[in-house]
Amino acid sequence: MKIAILSRNKKLYSTRRLVEAAESRGHEVIVLDHLRCYMNITSMRPSIRYKGEKQEGFDAVIPRIGASVTFYGTAVLRQFEMMGVYPLNESVAISRSRDKLRSVQLLARKGIGLPVTGFARSPDDIDDLLTSVGGNKFVIKLLEGTQGIGVVLAENHKAAESVIEAFLGLKANILVQEFIEEAGGADIRCLVVDGKVVAAMKRQGKEGEFRSNLHRGGSANIVKITPEERSTAVRAARIMGLNVAGVDLLRSNHGPVVMEVNSSPGLEGIETATGKDVAGMIIQCIEKHAPAGKTRTVGKG
Ligand code: ADP
Ligand code: MG
C-alpha cells in the first residue's frame, strides 16, 4: 500500500515509529507536512498538491494533526477523504474530539461515566453553576487546551468563581468539573486501536501536581486495567468515531470516568511504558480496513 502520514515533523517519535512500522511491513510511506499541502477543490476531481507536486495514488492516510492546527489539518484530511483515500481517523471524528464540551456531550448521551461537568457563558450564572456541579473543589478547563495547559484546580467555591470570571473576561470558553480527588493526581491512558485496548499506562503527576500529563512532569508505568475500564475505553473511542484513540480515565469512587479522548495519541510514552509495538498494530488496522475503503467509525458528513 501507499500510505501518507500527515505530520509537521518527520523526526517526532510517533511519526518515525509509524514510518518504520509501515516500511517493515512492505508499504511505501510518505510524510507530508499538512501545512504545506494545498488543494484544488474541483467537483469530482479533488486533488492535493505538495511543494509543487500533485499527490496521487494513496491507499490510506494517517493524520497526526496537532491541536493548534486542527482547522487546516482537518481540511487537508477531508480532501484526502474526498479523493477516496482511507483515513485512519476521520476528519469529523478528529474535530469532535478536539472540542472538550462537544466530546463530553456525546459521551454523556451514550451513558459513559464522566466527572460531573458544567458549562456557562454569563458571569451571572457561575454561582449557580458551581452549586449544581457540587463539591468544594473544582477543575476549570479551557475548551481547547491540551497537555495540561489551561487546566486549573480551584480549592473552593469562591476561588472557582474568580478564576472563571477571569477566563470569561478574556472571552475564553471553559468548562467546570467536579474534582476527582481520589484519583490522587493519576490517570489511566488506554490506547485503543480498532476496537481493542492494546496498551494501557498509569500516569502519575509529579509531587504536589494534580495534573498527570507527561508534559507537566508526570511519570508513566504499565498498569493492569479492569474489565469495566477496558469496555469504557473501547466504547468511548467508538462513540467519538475514532479507530485509534488515547482514552484517558480517572479512577473515581463511582467507577472509571472518562476525562478526554485524544485522536492523535503520542506513542513514545505508551510504547516505552508497556514495551508494546503500538505503531505496528496501527499499521495492521490500516491493512485490515483500507482495502475495503470503510472505516469502523461513525464519522462522515
Ligand atoms: P489536557 O487536554 O490539557 O490534557 P485534561 O482534561 O486531560 O486536559 O486534564 C489534564 C490533567 O488534569 C488530567 O490528565 C488529570 O490528571 C487532571 N484532571 C483533569 N480533570 C480532572 C478532574 N475532573 N478531576 C481530577 N483531575 C483532573
Ligand atoms: Mg489530557
Side-chain angles (χ1 to χ4, degrees):
M1 285 198 292
K2 184 173 168 186
I3 301 174
I5 300 180
L6 300 182
S7 167
R8 302 254 16 235
N9 184 350
K10 273 185 193 2
K11 298 193 184 111
L12 294 176
Y13 178 93
S14 303
T15 308
R16 271 195 290 117
R17 285 284 299 124
L18 288 163
V19 169
E20 235 170 63
E23 285 179 346
S24 75
R25 298 176 68 87
H27 303 298
E28 183 191 344
V29 193
I30 297 174
V31 178
L32 301 173
D33 173 356
H34 34 284
L35 296 192
R36 294 295 309 275
C37 293
Y38 47 105
M39 302 167 267
N40 187 334
I41 308 172
T42 311
S43 291
M44 312 307 286
R45 274 190 305 129
S47 67
I48 291 190
R49 299 183 65 79
Y50 185 72
K51 298 185 179 171
E53 279 177 36
K54 193 167 177 187
Q55 298 298 312
E56 288 174 309
F58 289 105
D59 301 290
V61 52
I62 302 179
R64 302 281 318 170
I65 297 167
S68 60
V69 292
T70 302
F71 181 81
Y72 197 79
T74 51
V76 171
L77 179 59
R78 205 153 47 235
Q79 188 79 357
F80 275 98
E81 291 166 7
M82 287 163 64
M83 291 161 61
V85 181
Y86 170 85
L88 177 65
N89 280 333
E90 284 180 76
S91 54
V92 262
I94 294 171
S95 305
R96 252 183 224 140
S97 74
R98 290 286 155 86
D99 177 339
K100 286 180 200 259
L101 178 62
R102 187 175 177 190
S103 304
V104 291
Q105 286 177 318
L106 283 166
L107 296 171
R109 191 165 74 189
K110 299 286 181 181
I112 296 284
L114 298 165
V116 179
T117 301
F119 179 69
R121 180 60 195 261
S122 167
D124 297 340
D125 300 322
I126 301 308
D127 187 29
D128 188 53
L129 179 76
L130 291 172
T131 309
S132 75
V133 169
N136 297 318
K137 300 186 182 178
F138 302 91
V139 176
I140 298 149
K141 300 184 186 185
L142 286 176
L143 279 199
E144 294 193 358
T146 180
Q147 302 184 345
I149 299 165
V151 180
V152 180
L153 174 62
E155 300 270 355
N156 58 53
H157 194 108
K158 268 277 153 265
E161 244 180 285
S162 42
V163 172
I164 294 170
E165 273 167 20
F167 276 139
L168 292 180
L170 294 168
K171 305 256 179 292
N173 277 311
I174 47 114
L175 54 77
V176 190
Q177 283 184 338
E178 64 170 320
F179 176 47
I180 310 288
E181 194 155 16
E182 62 271 25
D187 76 349
I188 312 283
R189 159 62 60 99
C190 299
L191 216 296
V192 179
V193 178
D194 198 16
K196 284 196 254 343
V197 176
V198 299
M201 65 177 168
K202 181 174 179 171
R203 296 179 299 195
Q204 179 73 54
K206 63 177 187 222
E207 186 74 24
E209 171 63 70
F210 80 101
R211 296 168 300 179
S212 59
N213 302 66
L214 301 183
H215 287 98
R216 303 270 71 74
S219 55
N221 283 297
I222 192 163
V223 69
K224 195 168 159 42
I225 58 170
T226 66
E228 192 189 4
E229 287 164 348
R230 191 171 288 277
S231 73
T232 301
V234 168
R235 286 184 58 219
R238 191 188 319 121
I239 292 164
M240 299 301 296
L242 294 166
N243 289 309
V244 171
V247 180
D248 296 341
L249 305 171
L250 291 175
R251 288 182 161 165
S252 85
N253 289 337
H254 44 99
V257 290
V258 172
M259 211 170 30
E260 157 164 74
V261 183
N262 197 309
S263 55
S264 286
L267 301 183
E268 185 165 16
I270 194 105
E271 287 197 334
T272 310
T274 65
K276 299 246 172 81
D277 175 16
V278 177
M281 293 187 254
I282 290 174
I283 302 302
Q284 279 178 32
C285 169
I286 293 175
E287 289 168 352
K288 191 164 144 208
H289 298 294
K294 273 202 286 238
T295 74
R296 290 168 44 89
T297 65
V298 290
K300 291 280 191 296

